[in-house]
Amino acid sequence: MFSSRSTVACARIQVRAASPVVAAARNFSSSAPRNKQRLVILGSGWGGYEVLRGVDKKRWNVTVVSPTNAFNFTPLLAGCAVGTLEFRCAVEPVRRYSPQVVAYQAWCDAIDFKQKTLQCMPATPPLAYETSSAPRVPTTTTETHFPGTGTPFKLRYDKLVIAVGAYSQTFNVPGVKEHAHFLKDVRDARAIRTRILECFEQANQPFLSDVDRRNLLNFCIVGGGPTGVEFAAELHDLLHAEVERHYPSLARMAKITLYDVAPNILGSFDKSLGSYAENKFRRDGISIKTRHHVERVEKDRMFVKEQGEVPFGLLVWSTGLAPNPLIQSIDSLEKHEKTQGLFTDEQLNVLTNDGKPDPDVWAIGDSAIIKSAVLPATAQVANQKGKYLVKKLNKIVKDQEHTKPFEFHNQGSLAYLGDWKAIYDRSGAESIKTKESGRLAWLLWRSAYFTQTLSIRNKILVPTYWFVLSFFVRAQGSFNNLSPLQVPELYVLLLLRRARRF
Ligand SMILES: Cc1cc2nc3c(=O)[nH]c(=O)nc-3n(C[C@H](O)[C@H](O)[C@H](O)COP(=O)(O)OP(=O)(O)OC[C@H]3O[C@@H](n4cnc5c(N)ncnc54)[C@H](O)[C@@H]3O)c2cc1C
């Protein structure tokens, strides 16, 4: 089942493909030395960015094509959305690797595997002489602006890494795309944070009835997977810390409800950990409505089959993944019937329709599935596949063999539950099977993200924010102005600049 958003985006591809401008697309070749092979990476997410980071840029002529010019550290987005962390903590710029790497802020709309060319479309505003505009990068992933064609261009590749991820699933529920918030990248986190604050300021107006206030402060989350659960937990932390302090009378009216069609939340976790989470949420006053079906969403209200009309101030929608339109447009490769993910072999090469691997094209991350072993669509898998490809590409470029198949090492799954508590599930791992809940799991959760944050800057900033939050306030006060939280941050940045390492 595809989201209506995907359908719109797919239509965008077809419109462009038919456009005469596309036929006249410019051919670009990179300025790097001729003797280097061209490696093109599509996407700057968990898979693509890892390849970009590790690949030997002296030996490969590397080009990155991505509509966003930064990598989003998705596990920190829920925290950013409520002000636990600042947005900059969850992003790493692609430009860090230029000029060694050529980067285009653009969509790849079509791939010609025979000619080894990519058709791309700028994801930047139109230039003065362009009569029709290129699709802008939307302010949030919820928005879809496809106002026509800009100036498309073509790129050639010798080797190609497809790492374009997936879109948010809506199950075609009417109104979701228009009235709900997704949480896919930092633009979404920013929009959610703005809306939360707006809800409290609106509810604080003197002329409102208590019913209106309660409606505005009804925060609904649809999707009881790790993303929905972590957002509910972070929001709960916010409501019971700063909000209670700054809006004491409104805090009592605020309510968080988590909806899911399944009988339990956190279905991918061990059952006992799922029950631990449900019990904790109930104790915290977070309402869990499982076996509930949202049928329609309108501005400020949704219609739930089992409940009727539910007014809300904020609706966050997180019900899984829908295929990326680029992947949907590919018909010459084998795909998973249900998810439409590109099938690969164990070397991560895509498979043509006759089942043969394409030796020059690899697919990783949420848009790819190993045919012989379906793995979960997680950052962990995307990142490990990226690391594997780095090794392979760095051997290939030296004419060395690399035939070792990809092996996934399950590090376990983590989910934050609020109040410094988390769950950790490693019961599905091959070795050291374990599961934890509570404070110890929370420590694991924090240390996992601390060790994974990529740049030195973020390795310093993330724990600094966490530390300061434990003693002072989160970055809610201003959302615009300099908050007390930013003072130590500025201090750290100053030190870094002085040390000329930044
Ligand atoms: C809020 C949130 C929290 C999460 N927490 C965790 C967690 O704690 N642990 C975990 O393991 N997983 C987590 N995940 C899942 C994880 O983020 C994904 O599995 C992971 O991002 C997949 O990596 P990817 O490289 O395939 O795709 P992405 O990281 O989504 O990157 C896709 C990239 O492709 C680009 N792109 C899209 N279309 C095109 C196109 N046509 N042309 C060129 N570029 C394109 C995008 O702009 C983006 O840069 C979380 C996800 C979310 C949303």
Side-chain angles (χ1 to χ4, degrees):
M1 211 177 313
F2 308 136
S3 69
S4 44
R5 177 163 192 269
S6 308
T7 318
V8 176
C10 195
R12 174 172 65 95
I13 286 172
Q14 282 154 9
V15 168
R16 287 183 197 164
S19 155
V21 187
V22 176
R26 297 170 187 191
N27 280 300
F28 280 72
S29 63
S30 210
S31 54
R34 253 178 262 149
N35 53 350
K36 283 196 201 176
Q37 288 198 74
R38 286 192 201 95
L39 169 70
V40 179
I41 305 167
L42 299 181
S44 57
W46 274 97
Y49 196 77
E50 189 57 39
V51 177
L52 171 65
R53 252 166 43 107
V55 78
D56 187 341
K57 292 173 247 329
K58 288 206 177 91
R59 292 173 192 265
W60 284 106
N61 168 358
V62 183
T63 300
V64 182
V65 178
S66 182
T68 48
N69 58 6
F71 158 72
N72 280 267
F73 194 96
T74 48
L76 297 182
L77 289 178
C80 289
V82 301
T84 308
L85 292 170
E86 263 315 324
F87 302 114
R88 72 192 74 178
C89 298
V91 289
E92 301 284 351
V94 169
R95 292 279 162 211
R96 168 164 303 141
Y97 298 102
S98 54
Q100 294 159 284
V101 165
V102 176
Y104 295 115
Q105 190 172 349
W107 302 91
C108 173
D109 276 353
I111 306 171
D112 185 334
F113 294 99
K114 284 211 176 96
Q115 302 295 321
K116 293 193 164 186
T117 56
L118 307 166
Q119 184 170 292
C120 303
M121 176 62 76
T124 46
L127 300 164
Y129 60 81
E130 287 177 319
T131 47
S132 49
S133 55
R136 286 172 59 98
V137 177
T139 328
T140 71
T141 56
T142 323
E143 283 178 39
T144 45
H145 293 306
F146 303 122
T149 54
T151 304
F153 60 96
K154 272 190 182 173
L155 290 174
R156 276 192 299 262
Y157 67 83
D158 296 310
K159 306 282 180 198
L160 176 68
V161 175
I162 304 174
V164 294
Y167 279 32
S168 298
Q169 180 61 274
T170 66
F171 295 107
N172 286 333
V173 173
V176 173
K177 212 159 50 81
E178 295 81 8
H179 306 298
H181 286 256
F182 296 114
L183 184 54
K184 275 292 273 181
D185 70 20
V186 79
R187 291 163 299 160
D188 297 329
R190 201 184 292 275
I192 289 172
R193 199 200 279 192
T194 305
R195 182 62 196 148
I196 296 170
L197 194 69
E198 231 170 49
C199 285
F200 278 96
E201 290 301 342
Q202 281 181 320
N204 194 44
Q205 298 296 352
F207 49 85
L208 252 64
S209 71
D210 276 359
V211 174
D212 288 339
R213 289 198 173 104
R214 279 182 210 284
N215 290 345
L216 271 169
L217 301 179
N218 192 20
F219 299 103
C220 297
I221 299 144
V222 178
T227 301
V229 164
E230 287 196 341
F231 177 71
E234 292 276 6
L235 186 58
H236 173 265
D237 282 358
L238 173 74
L239 297 187
H240 292 271
E242 282 76 13
V243 167
E244 261 177 17
R245 198 174 314 143
H246 298 298
Y247 307 88
S249 56
L250 294 179
R252 274 179 276 120
M253 295 185 187
K255 191 169 178 227
I256 305 171
T257 311
L258 187 60
Y259 290 86
D260 204 302
V261 291
N264 299 100
I265 60 166
L266 293 172
S268 59
F269 279 72
D270 179 88
K271 223 172 167 184
S272 62
L273 294 175
S275 308
Y276 174 89
E278 285 187 11
N279 290 336
K280 175 169 187 322
F281 272 15
R282 290 206 171 97
R283 275 198 310 275
D284 290 344
I286 298 174
S287 173
I288 300 176
K289 296 207 181 290
T290 46
R291 293 194 171 94
H292 275 61
H293 301 74
V294 178
E295 294 183 316
R296 192 170 91 243
V297 181
E298 290 179 2
K299 191 176 183 301
D300 306 332
R301 79 197 58 203
M302 62 180 183
F303 296 85
V304 182
K305 192 173 163 195
E306 296 75 12
Q307 209 184 349
E309 184 178 328
V310 180
F312 61 78
L314 170 77
L315 169 63
V316 173
W317 192 275
S318 169
T319 58
L321 302 178
N324 184 300
L326 172 67
I327 305 298
Q328 273 181 291
S329 75
I330 297 171
D331 52 18
S332 56
L333 300 180
E334 268 196 55
K335 290 195 254 182
H336 189 275
E337 204 182 335
K338 199 171 152 218
T339 65
Q340 288 289 294
L342 292 175
F343 270 140
T344 71
D345 63 8
E346 290 177 356
Q347 308 276 328
L348 309 186
N349 289 99
V350 296
L351 300 170
T352 56
N353 278 335
D354 53 11
K356 289 194 186 118
D358 181 332
D360 299 325
V361 183
W362 296 270
I364 57 175
D366 286 359
S367 55
I369 294 170
I370 299 176
K371 198 172 177 184
S372 57
V374 176
L375 296 169
T378 60
Q380 206 182 121
V381 174
N383 186 256
Q384 287 188 27
K385 284 186 176 179
K387 283 192 163 70
Y388 168 86
L389 267 196
V390 165
K391 277 194 193 148
K392 187 181 271 296
L393 288 164
N394 289 348
K395 288 240 171 191
I396 290 175
V397 80
K398 290 191 237 161
D399 283 332
Q400 293 172 357
E401 270 209 347
H402 183 280
T403 50
K404 205 176 156 220
F406 171 75
E407 256 179 74
F408 175 59
H409 299 285
N410 189 345
Q411 317 278 330
S413 312
L414 288 154
Y416 179 59
L417 301 180
D419 305 322
W420 300 20
K421 292 197 175 82
I423 48 174
Y424 174 57
D425 187 3
R426 209 169 186 272
S427 51
E430 312 82 46
S431 59
I432 328 176
K433 292 180 195 295
T434 176
K435 48 189 182 182
E436 279 302 333
S437 56
R439 213 40 71 80
L440 180 60
W442 173 81
L443 274 173
L444 286 168
W445 178 79
R446 285 228 157 153
S447 45
Y449 294 145
F450 171 61
T451 50
Q452 276 179 25
T453 48
L454 301 173
S455 60
I456 298 174
R457 184 193 71 150
N458 276 344
K459 274 197 192 310
I460 294 173
L461 282 187
V462 170
T464 305
Y465 275 108
W466 279 338
F467 174 78
V468 173
L469 187 69
S470 315
F471 296 98
F472 301 102
V473 292
R474 69 183 66 220
Q476 52 73 40
S478 51
F479 286 83
N480 293 319
N481 306 327
L482 188 72
S483 72
L485 191 58
Q486 284 170 294
V487 175
E489 177 195 328
L490 289 176
Y491 181 65
V492 168
L493 289 176
L494 205 70
L495 282 178
L496 272 172
R497 286 228 164 99
R498 289 214 154 177
R500 297 203 177 278
R501 301 191 59 184
F502 182 65

